[in-house]
Amino acid sequence: MIDTNLLLEKGATYRYTEAGEVIFNEGAPAAFYYQLVSGRVRWSHFEDNGKEVLHKIVEDGEAFGEFPLFDGEPYAASAIADSPCTILRLSAASFHELLAERPDIHLAFSKSLVSHLRFKFFLLNALSKNNPQTVLVELIDYFNQHGKLICKDCNRLMVTRQQLANMAGLRVETVIRAIKQLQQEDKLCIVKGKVFIPADGI
């Protein structure tokens, strides 16, 4: 979201992580602004029984964990590297200085926060229909319309069935059955276990 050179000028440093490494934990105080340079990060909450609730998968160029930098509260979810990652992190104080100097960047974050809220409203509305197949269709269509988590070259869905289940609050077995049903209805294609979306959407 913020130009890499500008972040480096402000004192940002690189951090490198392996897949599965925890970047920050839910409940911890926010000390840095994080921006993903390469790789993927899961932004998740873990219930007492260990079940993961997946709020977002962060892709190249996106910020994550920025909410506490605006309200001063601890992290509401944990960030875990979903693959080897290169991350830029900037101290909270320097981030606030940057926002004060650059109202355009502050506005961009306001729009981003609204986008997060809109996605949550969208997901709650989809889940209220209580139909797993409908939930998956609407979720995949959302990804397709917003250019998220779908390969631009081959239209492959870039999330696992488990991640879809964690995002939609469904059992993975339910997601597997719903995907097979969508395949039978020719709404998507499965090749060697990979899910592909029609160019014009489901």
Side-chain angles (χ1 to χ4, degrees):
M1 290 188 64
I2 303 176
D3 182 78
T4 297
N5 292 327
L6 183 55
L7 287 173
L8 292 172
E9 287 173 11
K10 279 291 181 182
T13 56
Y14 285 100
R15 176 178 172 182
Y16 305 94
T17 67
E18 297 298 326
E21 186 174 336
V22 175
I23 299 162
F24 56 75
N25 280 304
E26 177 182 353
F32 296 98
Y33 163 77
Y34 292 93
Q35 186 164 298
L36 188 61
V37 177
S38 65
R40 293 206 323 182
V41 170
R42 301 194 321 275
W43 200 9
S44 302
H45 163 78
F46 292 89
E47 298 181 351
D48 291 340
N49 61 6
K51 181 181 178 181
E52 180 177 357
V53 179
L54 179 57
H55 297 289
K56 183 181 180 183
I57 294 180
V58 183
E59 298 183 286
D60 297 1
E62 293 182 334
F64 61 97
E66 69 273 26
F67 290 1
L69 298 176
F70 289 91
D71 65 6
E73 296 293 323
Y75 288 119
S78 300
I80 305 100
D82 201 45
S83 67
C85 295
T86 301
I87 301 164
L88 269 172
R89 66 180 193 177
L90 181 69
S91 72
S94 295
F95 176 74
H96 290 139
E97 287 177 9
L98 182 57
L99 292 184
E101 295 168 3
R102 295 285 301 271
D104 57 319
I105 293 177
H106 202 302
L107 178 60
F109 274 98
S110 296
K111 291 180 178 178
S112 176
L113 294 173
V114 170
S115 177
H116 284 301
L117 285 173
R118 285 190 180 277
F119 176 71
K120 288 300 180 185
F121 281 123
F122 154 79
L123 193 55
L124 285 171
N125 182 57
L127 291 172
S128 70
K129 296 171 184 175
N130 203 28
N131 183 317
Q133 192 169 319
T134 299
V135 173
L136 288 182
V137 167
E138 293 191 5
L139 189 57
I140 293 170
D141 266 343
Y142 181 94
F143 294 153
N144 205 28
Q145 292 170 16
H146 291 80
K148 302 285 186 184
L149 304 174
I150 294 178
C151 176
K152 296 177 176 61
D153 297 321
C154 67
N155 280 357
R156 179 164 69 90
L157 185 63
M158 303 295 288
V159 288
T160 66
R161 290 156 177 78
Q162 184 65 66
Q163 288 172 335
L164 283 172
N166 292 347
M167 190 174 290
L170 300 170
R171 292 170 56 85
V172 68
E173 295 84 1
T174 303
V175 169
I176 290 169
R177 285 196 298 271
I179 285 177
K180 286 181 178 177
Q181 182 62 37
L182 290 171
Q183 180 190 28
Q184 292 170 4
E185 296 173 4
D186 293 325
K187 292 184 177 179
L188 49 78
C189 180
I190 301 176
V191 180
K192 295 182 179 179
K194 307 297 184 183
V195 179
F196 293 84
I197 311 304
D200 56 353
I202 295 182

